Amino acid sequence: MRDAPRRLVVDLRDARPNMAVPAETVDAIRAALPEAWEMVVVGSPADGRGDGGGASDEAVEAARGAEVYLGWGLSPEVFRAATEGDGARLRWVHSASAGVGGALFPAMRASDVVLTNSAGIYAEPMAETVLAAILHFSRGLDVVVRAQQERRWAKGDFAGMDAPVRELSEMAVGIVGLGGIGQAVARRCVALGMRVRATRRTGTEAPEGVELLRGDGALDRLLASSDVLVVAAPLTGETRARVGARELAMLPAGAVVVNVARGGIVDEAALADALASGRMRGAALDVFDREPLPPSSPLWGLSNVLVTPHVSGVSHLFWRRQTRLILENTGRYLRGAPLLNTVDKTAGY
Ligand code: OXD
């Protein structure tokens, strides 16, 4: 009897048209596979929002006997189908999302299945969103957008000693999390003449011009010197609610908070209070504890808050980068070489 073919499953047909896997990518993956492999492309829509996850019946069925699963996150149902029963041989899961908290359920953590993610793929557009957010407040665009809605010529708002503007060269940015996203933010801020400091959990590399704060109290020191605090860390047991009332109170008066990472890292109620108090210049928030942000959230009503609906990483170049990564890692997998973007399942990113 012939051996069953080795199976790779593509479950990347996101319901959002610009995130759904293009036909050329599917063709390129197929072309990269040797003859002993079969590729199953799941046609049912997948959900790539946030960490991804969820599973169509078709995806669960396709996962039985799969050795490689390419999806948006990983649901426990897909994992079970691919790891239980005769012929189970799951070895590698790739997530097209950056955050992978939802894929790290206990059975997956305990298994020897390798998980890769796509954090670096989102770095460039996310860093541009961060720049837009910084400039939104530093050039007083929040003030003029509001005035325009009222059909009001707001020149007077820019006439006082307290005009709502600052030049980037007089501002310091503090970046929490200096992974791919944090580094892309840092490089841009350095190039624009900002003072840039950062904290990171592991590693000592930092882009040129970036001061890495390390050791006990590093976050406190970062907060005390950050006119703009950029949250770019993954959500893990260590980072959950890491920025609370105490931390927000350490920021200089007039500071701006930008969060493009995960809502759970910043205490939302404490942030809303700090913003309402007028002590902070503002906040640009792309991520929230609950998404969509409920209509009852006080954040909607604060004039110094810019709410974006978890879109900081949206880019028309997404699939170009994602395809390159998938093909590179598929080649590596087939050759038995180490994969790029391997997630440390204990650290959680
Ligand atoms: C992600 C996201 O991919 O936040 O993690 O969209």
Side-chain angles (χ1 to χ4, degrees), residues 151-166:
R151 298 178 167 260
R152 185 169 63 81
W153 184 250
K155 204 167 172 85
D157 294 357
F158 290 77
M161 298 304 286
D162 59 351
V165 292
R166 286 185 84 177

Side-chain angles (χ1 to χ4, degrees), residues 16 48-52 72 96-100 122 126 260-262 287 310:
R16 298 164 296 177
R49 291 169 302 166
D51 287 5
W72 292 101
S97 65
V100 285
Y122 296 89
M126 287 177 77
V260 288
R262 284 291 182 265
V287 286
H310 202 140

Side-chain angles (χ1 to χ4, degrees), residues 20-36:
V21 63
E24 308 87 79
T25 299
V26 172
D27 292 346
I29 302 170
R30 197 185 307 272
L33 292 175
E35 245 185 44

Side-chain angles (χ1 to χ4, degrees), residues 13 77 83 108 113 131 155 192 194 205 229 251-252 263 274 280 304 323:
R13 198 150 281 165
E77 294 79 10
T83 52
M108 173 59 177
V113 174
L131 276 193
K155 204 167 172 85
L192 290 169
M194 302 183 81
E205 319 103 72
L229 184 76
L251 291 167
M280 286 178 63
N304 54 352
T323 305

